[in-house]
PDB file of all heavy atoms in Angstrom:
ATOM      1  N   GLN R1265       3.370 -23.436   1.453  1.00 85.00           N
ATOM      2  CA  GLN R1265       2.765 -22.241   2.064  1.00 85.00           C
ATOM      3  C   GLN R1265       2.861 -20.982   1.202  1.00 85.00           C
ATOM      4  O   GLN R1265       2.582 -19.888   1.653  1.00 85.00           O
ATOM      5  CB  GLN R1265       3.387 -21.935   3.432  1.00 85.00           C
ATOM      6  CG  GLN R1265       2.801 -22.738   4.564  1.00 85.00           C
ATOM      7  CD  GLN R1265       3.657 -23.934   4.909  1.00 85.00           C
ATOM      8  OE1 GLN R1265       4.844 -23.786   5.136  1.00 85.00           O
ATOM      9  NE2 GLN R1265       3.057 -25.103   4.927  1.00 85.00           N
ATOM     10  N   GLN R1266       3.288 -21.130  -0.046  1.00 85.00           N
ATOM     11  CA  GLN R1266       3.475 -19.958  -0.876  1.00 85.00           C
ATOM     12  C   GLN R1266       2.480 -19.952  -2.041  1.00 85.00           C
ATOM     13  O   GLN R1266       2.199 -21.001  -2.625  1.00 85.00           O
ATOM     14  CB  GLN R1266       4.909 -19.952  -1.421  1.00 85.00           C
ATOM     15  CG  GLN R1266       5.407 -18.568  -1.757  1.00 85.00           C
ATOM     16  CD  GLN R1266       6.795 -18.599  -2.374  1.00 85.00           C
ATOM     17  OE1 GLN R1266       7.552 -19.559  -2.225  1.00 85.00           O
ATOM     18  NE2 GLN R1266       7.123 -17.558  -3.106  1.00 85.00           N
ATOM     19  N   LEU R1267       1.945 -18.754  -2.353  1.00 86.00           N
ATOM     20  CA  LEU R1267       1.080 -18.598  -3.520  1.00 86.00           C
ATOM     21  C   LEU R1267       1.882 -17.893  -4.612  1.00 86.00           C
ATOM     22  O   LEU R1267       2.891 -17.255  -4.321  1.00 86.00           O
ATOM     23  CB  LEU R1267      -0.143 -17.749  -3.164  1.00 86.00           C
ATOM     24  CG  LEU R1267      -1.032 -18.236  -2.026  1.00 86.00           C
ATOM     25  CD1 LEU R1267      -2.112 -17.203  -1.740  1.00 86.00           C
ATOM     26  CD2 LEU R1267      -1.661 -19.576  -2.372  1.00 86.00           C
ATOM     27  N   PHE R1268       1.423 -17.985  -5.837  1.00 85.00           N
ATOM     28  CA  PHE R1268       2.174 -17.397  -6.941  1.00 85.00           C
ATOM     29  C   PHE R1268       1.269 -16.544  -7.824  1.00 85.00           C
ATOM     30  O   PHE R1268       0.203 -17.000  -8.230  1.00 85.00           O
ATOM     31  CB  PHE R1268       2.842 -18.491  -7.776  1.00 85.00           C
ATOM     32  CG  PHE R1268       3.734 -19.367  -6.954  1.00 85.00           C
ATOM     33  CD1 PHE R1268       3.232 -20.477  -6.310  1.00 85.00           C
ATOM     34  CD2 PHE R1268       5.063 -19.020  -6.759  1.00 85.00           C
ATOM     35  CE1 PHE R1268       4.034 -21.263  -5.501  1.00 85.00           C
ATOM     36  CE2 PHE R1268       5.879 -19.788  -5.953  1.00 85.00           C
ATOM     37  CZ  PHE R1268       5.370 -20.921  -5.323  1.00 85.00           C
ATOM     38  N   GLY R1269       1.702 -15.312  -8.108  1.00 79.00           N
ATOM     39  CA  GLY R1269       0.895 -14.441  -8.945  1.00 79.00           C
ATOM     40  C   GLY R1269       1.650 -13.926 -10.153  1.00 79.00           C
ATOM     41  O   GLY R1269       1.057 -13.459 -11.109  1.00 79.00           O
ATOM     42  N   LEU R1270       2.965 -14.024 -10.120  1.00 76.00           N
ATOM     43  CA  LEU R1270       3.754 -13.511 -11.236  1.00 76.00           C
ATOM     44  C   LEU R1270       4.003 -14.634 -12.231  1.00 76.00           C
ATOM     45  O   LEU R1270       3.940 -15.810 -11.894  1.00 76.00           O
ATOM     46  CB  LEU R1270       5.077 -12.935 -10.727  1.00 76.00           C
ATOM     47  CG  LEU R1270       4.899 -11.737  -9.788  1.00 76.00           C
ATOM     48  CD1 LEU R1270       6.222 -11.329  -9.179  1.00 76.00           C
ATOM     49  CD2 LEU R1270       4.255 -10.568 -10.522  1.00 76.00           C
ATOM     50  N   VAL R1271       4.307 -14.243 -13.455  1.00 76.00           N
ATOM     51  CA  VAL R1271       4.263 -15.237 -14.519  1.00 76.00           C
ATOM     52  C   VAL R1271       5.467 -16.187 -14.523  1.00 76.00           C
ATOM     53  O   VAL R1271       5.332 -17.360 -14.862  1.00 76.00           O
ATOM     54  CB  VAL R1271       4.070 -14.529 -15.889  1.00 76.00           C
ATOM     55  CG1 VAL R1271       5.354 -13.875 -16.352  1.00 76.00           C
ATOM     56  CG2 VAL R1271       3.514 -15.491 -16.906  1.00 76.00           C
ATOM     57  N   ALA R1272       6.640 -15.712 -14.087  1.00 75.00           N
ATOM     58  CA  ALA R1272       7.842 -16.565 -14.198  1.00 75.00           C
ATOM     59  C   ALA R1272       7.707 -17.889 -13.434  1.00 75.00           C
ATOM     60  O   ALA R1272       7.943 -18.956 -14.007  1.00 75.00           O
ATOM     61  CB  ALA R1272       9.074 -15.793 -13.744  1.00 75.00           C
ATOM     62  N   PRO R1273       7.313 -17.869 -12.169  1.00 83.00           N
ATOM     63  CA  PRO R1273       7.183 -19.157 -11.481  1.00 83.00           C
ATOM     64  C   PRO R1273       6.065 -20.025 -12.057  1.00 83.00           C
ATOM     65  O   PRO R1273       6.149 -21.256 -12.001  1.00 83.00           O
ATOM     66  CB  PRO R1273       6.872 -18.765 -10.031  1.00 83.00           C
ATOM     67  CG  PRO R1273       6.440 -17.354 -10.061  1.00 83.00           C
ATOM     68  CD  PRO R1273       7.100 -16.727 -11.252  1.00 83.00           C
ATOM     69  N   LEU R1274       5.028 -19.379 -12.625  1.00 87.00           N
ATOM     70  CA  LEU R1274       3.949 -20.185 -13.225  1.00 87.00           C
ATOM     71  C   LEU R1274       4.462 -20.942 -14.444  1.00 87.00           C
ATOM     72  O   LEU R1274       4.093 -22.093 -14.687  1.00 87.00           O
ATOM     73  CB  LEU R1274       2.773 -19.276 -13.612  1.00 87.00           C
ATOM     74  CG  LEU R1274       2.146 -18.474 -12.482  1.00 87.00           C
ATOM     75  CD1 LEU R1274       0.836 -17.838 -12.945  1.00 87.00           C
ATOM     76  CD2 LEU R1274       1.874 -19.347 -11.265  1.00 87.00           C
ATOM     77  N   TYR R1275       5.322 -20.292 -15.216  1.00 84.00           N
ATOM     78  CA  TYR R1275       5.902 -20.979 -16.372  1.00 84.00           C
ATOM     79  C   TYR R1275       6.813 -22.114 -15.916  1.00 84.00           C
ATOM     80  O   TYR R1275       6.868 -23.175 -16.551  1.00 84.00           O
ATOM     81  CB  TYR R1275       6.674 -19.982 -17.243  1.00 84.00           C
ATOM     82  CG  TYR R1275       5.783 -19.168 -18.162  1.00 84.00           C
ATOM     83  CD1 TYR R1275       6.293 -18.115 -18.902  1.00 84.00           C
ATOM     84  CD2 TYR R1275       4.430 -19.472 -18.311  1.00 84.00           C
ATOM     85  CE1 TYR R1275       5.483 -17.375 -19.756  1.00 84.00           C
ATOM     86  CE2 TYR R1275       3.616 -18.735 -19.152  1.00 84.00           C
ATOM     87  CZ  TYR R1275       4.143 -17.681 -19.876  1.00 84.00           C
ATOM     88  OH  TYR R1275       3.340 -16.960 -20.720  1.00 84.00           O
ATOM     89  N   ASP R1276       7.510 -21.901 -14.798  1.00 88.00           N
ATOM     90  CA  ASP R1276       8.333 -22.985 -14.256  1.00 88.00           C
ATOM     91  C   ASP R1276       7.468 -24.168 -13.852  1.00 88.00           C
ATOM     92  O   ASP R1276       7.803 -25.327 -14.115  1.00 88.00           O
ATOM     93  CB  ASP R1276       9.125 -22.509 -13.029  1.00 88.00           C
ATOM     94  CG  ASP R1276      10.280 -21.595 -13.424  1.00 88.00           C
ATOM     95  OD1 ASP R1276      10.632 -21.580 -14.622  1.00 88.00           O
ATOM     96  OD2 ASP R1276      10.809 -20.909 -12.531  1.00 88.00           O
ATOM     97  N   GLN R1277       6.323 -23.849 -13.220  1.00 93.00           N
ATOM     98  CA  GLN R1277       5.399 -24.921 -12.836  1.00 93.00           C
ATOM     99  C   GLN R1277       4.935 -25.689 -14.069  1.00 93.00           C
ATOM    100  O   GLN R1277       4.853 -26.924 -14.058  1.00 93.00           O
ATOM    101  CB  GLN R1277       4.164 -24.344 -12.135  1.00 93.00           C
ATOM    102  CG  GLN R1277       4.437 -23.815 -10.749  1.00 93.00           C
ATOM    103  CD  GLN R1277       3.182 -23.245 -10.107  1.00 93.00           C
ATOM    104  OE1 GLN R1277       2.124 -23.183 -10.744  1.00 93.00           O
ATOM    105  NE2 GLN R1277       3.293 -22.832  -8.865  1.00 93.00           N
ATOM    106  N   ALA R1278       4.612 -24.953 -15.152  1.00 93.00           N
ATOM    107  CA  ALA R1278       4.118 -25.578 -16.383  1.00 93.00           C
ATOM    108  C   ALA R1278       5.138 -26.589 -16.911  1.00 93.00           C
ATOM    109  O   ALA R1278       4.798 -27.697 -17.330  1.00 93.00           O
ATOM    110  CB  ALA R1278       3.827 -24.499 -17.425  1.00 93.00           C
ATOM    111  N   LYS R1279       6.410 -26.196 -16.845  1.00 92.00           N
ATOM    112  CA  LYS R1279       7.475 -27.050 -17.350  1.00 92.00           C
ATOM    113  C   LYS R1279       7.592 -28.318 -16.494  1.00 92.00           C
ATOM    114  O   LYS R1279       7.694 -29.436 -17.009  1.00 92.00           O
ATOM    115  CB  LYS R1279       8.781 -26.262 -17.281  1.00 92.00           C
ATOM    116  CG  LYS R1279       9.850 -26.701 -18.241  1.00 92.00           C
ATOM    117  CD  LYS R1279      10.950 -25.658 -18.219  1.00 92.00           C
ATOM    118  CE  LYS R1279      12.236 -26.226 -18.784  1.00 92.00           C
ATOM    119  NZ  LYS R1279      13.331 -25.269 -18.602  1.00 92.00           N
ATOM    120  N   VAL R1280       7.549 -28.131 -15.177  1.00 95.00           N
ATOM    121  CA  VAL R1280       7.680 -29.266 -14.264  1.00 95.00           C
ATOM    122  C   VAL R1280       6.500 -30.230 -14.432  1.00 95.00           C
ATOM    123  O   VAL R1280       6.673 -31.449 -14.505  1.00 95.00           O
ATOM    124  CB  VAL R1280       7.771 -28.776 -12.799  1.00 95.00           C
ATOM    125  CG1 VAL R1280       7.679 -29.952 -11.823  1.00 95.00           C
ATOM    126  CG2 VAL R1280       9.051 -27.996 -12.582  1.00 95.00           C
ATOM    127  N   LEU R1281       5.299 -29.667 -14.546  1.00 96.00           N
ATOM    128  CA  LEU R1281       4.125 -30.524 -14.660  1.00 96.00           C
ATOM    129  C   LEU R1281       4.131 -31.303 -15.976  1.00 96.00           C
ATOM    130  O   LEU R1281       3.790 -32.489 -16.006  1.00 96.00           O
ATOM    131  CB  LEU R1281       2.842 -29.695 -14.513  1.00 96.00           C
ATOM    132  CG  LEU R1281       1.535 -30.478 -14.559  1.00 96.00           C
ATOM    133  CD1 LEU R1281       1.541 -31.671 -13.605  1.00 96.00           C
ATOM    134  CD2 LEU R1281       0.348 -29.575 -14.241  1.00 96.00           C
ATOM    135  N   ALA R1282       4.548 -30.619 -17.059  1.00 95.00           N
ATOM    136  CA  ALA R1282       4.623 -31.327 -18.343  1.00 95.00           C
ATOM    137  C   ALA R1282       5.585 -32.505 -18.228  1.00 95.00           C
ATOM    138  O   ALA R1282       5.282 -33.615 -18.680  1.00 95.00           O
ATOM    139  CB  ALA R1282       5.069 -30.353 -19.443  1.00 95.00           C
ATOM    140  N   ALA R1283       6.724 -32.274 -17.587  1.00 94.00           N
ATOM    141  CA  ALA R1283       7.696 -33.353 -17.415  1.00 94.00           C
ATOM    142  C   ALA R1283       7.113 -34.475 -16.559  1.00 94.00           C
ATOM    143  O   ALA R1283       7.245 -35.661 -16.902  1.00 94.00           O
ATOM    144  CB  ALA R1283       8.972 -32.796 -16.760  1.00 94.00           C
ATOM    145  N   THR R1284       6.451 -34.105 -15.466  1.00 95.00           N
ATOM    146  CA  THR R1284       5.833 -35.101 -14.592  1.00 95.00           C
ATOM    147  C   THR R1284       4.841 -35.957 -15.368  1.00 95.00           C
ATOM    148  O   THR R1284       4.824 -37.186 -15.259  1.00 95.00           O
ATOM    149  CB  THR R1284       5.114 -34.410 -13.419  1.00 95.00           C
ATOM    150  OG1 THR R1284       6.045 -33.566 -12.746  1.00 95.00           O
ATOM    151  CG2 THR R1284       4.552 -35.424 -12.436  1.00 95.00           C
ATOM    152  N   LEU R1285       4.018 -35.289 -16.183  1.00 95.00           N
ATOM    153  CA  LEU R1285       3.000 -36.022 -16.945  1.00 95.00           C
ATOM    154  C   LEU R1285       3.628 -36.942 -17.993  1.00 95.00           C
ATOM    155  O   LEU R1285       3.015 -37.893 -18.449  1.00 95.00           O
ATOM    156  CB  LEU R1285       2.036 -35.032 -17.627  1.00 95.00           C
ATOM    157  CG  LEU R1285       1.082 -34.288 -16.679  1.00 95.00           C
ATOM    158  CD1 LEU R1285       0.341 -33.182 -17.412  1.00 95.00           C
ATOM    159  CD2 LEU R1285       0.108 -35.252 -16.019  1.00 95.00           C
ATOM    160  N   MET R1286       4.879 -36.643 -18.372  1.00 93.00           N
ATOM    161  CA  MET R1286       5.556 -37.500 -19.339  1.00 93.00           C
ATOM    162  C   MET R1286       6.437 -38.524 -18.638  1.00 93.00           C
ATOM    163  O   MET R1286       7.254 -39.181 -19.264  1.00 93.00           O
ATOM    164  CB  MET R1286       6.380 -36.639 -20.300  1.00 93.00           C
ATOM    165  CG  MET R1286       5.480 -35.846 -21.254  1.00 93.00           C
ATOM    166  SD  MET R1286       6.380 -34.948 -22.518  1.00 93.00           S
ATOM    167  CE  MET R1286       7.032 -33.580 -21.632  1.00 93.00           C
ATOM    168  N   GLY R1287       6.296 -38.572 -17.292  1.00 92.00           N
ATOM    169  CA  GLY R1287       7.034 -39.583 -16.540  1.00 92.00           C
ATOM    170  C   GLY R1287       8.485 -39.230 -16.308  1.00 92.00           C
ATOM    171  O   GLY R1287       9.300 -40.087 -15.966  1.00 92.00           O
ATOM    172  N   GLU R1288       8.852 -37.975 -16.511  1.00 92.00           N
ATOM    173  CA  GLU R1288      10.243 -37.577 -16.278  1.00 92.00           C
ATOM    174  C   GLU R1288      10.380 -37.006 -14.867  1.00 92.00           C
ATOM    175  O   GLU R1288       9.436 -36.439 -14.332  1.00 92.00           O
ATOM    176  CB  GLU R1288      10.665 -36.502 -17.299  1.00 92.00           C
ATOM    177  CG  GLU R1288      10.668 -37.028 -18.737  1.00 92.00           C
ATOM    178  CD  GLU R1288      10.647 -35.900 -19.762  1.00 92.00           C
ATOM    179  OE1 GLU R1288      10.907 -34.743 -19.368  1.00 92.00           O
ATOM    180  OE2 GLU R1288      10.342 -36.182 -20.928  1.00 92.00           O
TER     181      GLU R1288
END
Side-chain angles (χ1 to χ4, degrees):
Chain R
Q1265 277 98 52
Q1266 206 184 339
L1267 302 175
F1268 303 88
L1270 297 173
V1271 76
L1274 301 191
Y1275 279 172
D1276 286 344
Q1277 289 179 356
K1279 205 169 161 187
V1280 171
L1281 182 50
T1284 305
L1285 289 171
M1286 289 186 284
E1288 295 162 14

